[in-house]
Amino acid sequence: MTRVAMWSGPRNVSTALMRSFGARPDTLVVDEPLYAHYLAATGLDHPGRDEVMAGQPTAWQDVAAALTGPLPGGVSVYYQKHMTHHLLPGIGRDWIGTLSNAYLIRDPEHVVASYAKVRGTPDLADLGYAQQAEIYRAYGGPVVDAADLLRDPAGVLSRLCAALGIGWDPAMLAWPPGRRDTDGVWAPHWYASVEASTGFAPYDPRPADVPARLRDLVDEARPYYEEMAARRL
């Protein structure tokens, strides 16, 4: 059994990567299991807050127990899609060391430009770069850059599978459109594009359009990104 904790910031291709792993017949996926705890602890009013709070445990200890506990028969890979900013300072870390940790990164110019379109003015904590670097420094694991993944899905995914010690399955390159029972209850607010998808989108080489007010945020995030990018597959 391989329990893959994929740590990603927001506005990445994290949901498409979850689709990719979910296309494997040997894999069970879970979508942002710490989200309800994050909302409970911060008091933030995200779209679908009440549904998220009702649909997941709000105590991080219960989440950690589920992520490291028994699984159904026939499952040999447990893929956990995590948002790094959900890993608040008050959450214990020991359970993370029992998982096969991996990291999905994206250039902060593109993250900030995309985030600004949907949630206004983020700060560094919202983007999860520092938390991602913290997890990597403590536990290591393979690093995937979203741009590399979109340029060469088969090559990057096969290297990722090898690094995780699981077999490469070409089924990871395509999936049926539509919603999944394993999608978070927030899917209606965020997942329209991935629900329409049947594979990874082509890489878009256009430069990011970062609002002038957020250029300093890009500069603040970049050292964390560069630290991780130097170690990418």
Side-chain angles (χ1 to χ4, degrees):
M1 166 62 64
T2 302
R3 299 170 188 268
V4 179
M6 181 61 71
W7 298 98
S8 171
R11 314 312 298 171
N12 211 326
V13 294
S14 59
T15 308
L17 188 55
M18 180 177 70
R19 282 284 188 276
S20 175
F21 272 85
R24 297 174 58 105
D26 63 351
T27 299
L28 175 68
V29 305
V30 63
D31 193 5
E32 299 184 28
L34 287 165
Y35 195 7
H37 171 78
Y38 173 78
L39 293 178
T42 62
L44 291 170
D45 185 18
H46 282 197
R49 173 186 167 88
D50 291 344
E51 292 88 343
V52 176
M53 299 280 285
Q56 291 181 332
T58 56
W60 70 261
Q61 296 91 338
D62 294 339
V63 177
L67 296 177
T68 58
L71 291 171
V75 173
S76 57
V77 179
Y78 187 22
Y79 182 87
Q80 305 168 9
K81 173 196 165 194
H82 288 288
M83 291 288 104
T84 54
H85 61 284
H86 291 171
L87 193 69
L88 296 170
I91 295 176
R93 303 299 202 252
D94 289 348
W95 59 278
I96 299 173
T98 70
L99 307 173
S100 295
N101 294 284
Y103 311 87
L104 178 63
I105 63 174
R106 190 185 185 193
D107 188 292
E109 289 201 354
H110 291 278
V111 171
V112 170
S114 179
Y115 198 107
K117 294 176 183 177
V118 295
R119 290 197 62 81
T121 304
D123 60 22
L124 187 64
D126 293 326
L127 304 183
Y129 282 97
Q131 300 94 315
Q132 194 174 47
E134 174 208 336
I135 302 165
Y136 181 84
R137 292 166 189 164
Y139 303 106
V143 179
V144 170
D145 192 301
D148 296 335
L149 176 61
L150 296 181
R151 288 189 189 101
D152 180 16
V156 171
L157 289 172
S158 62
R159 293 196 294 275
L160 175 61
C161 289
L164 293 169
I166 61 178
W168 158 242
D169 189 339
M172 298 176 71
L173 296 174
W175 49 84
R179 193 165 298 172
R180 305 290 190 271
D181 291 340
T182 48
D183 289 348
V185 297
W186 53 89
H189 302 282
W190 301 103
Y191 288 1
S193 61
V194 80
E195 287 173 7
S197 72
T198 56
F200 290 99
Y203 173 68
D204 184 350
R206 291 177 296 178
D209 184 14
V210 179
R213 73 181 190 280
L214 295 177
R215 291 300 324 179
D216 287 348
L217 178 58
V218 171
D219 294 340
E220 193 178 4
R222 184 158 297 284
Y224 297 104
Y225 168 76
E226 296 291 354
E227 176 185 344
M228 302 291 290
R231 296 161 172 82
R232 69 190 188 275
L233 294 175

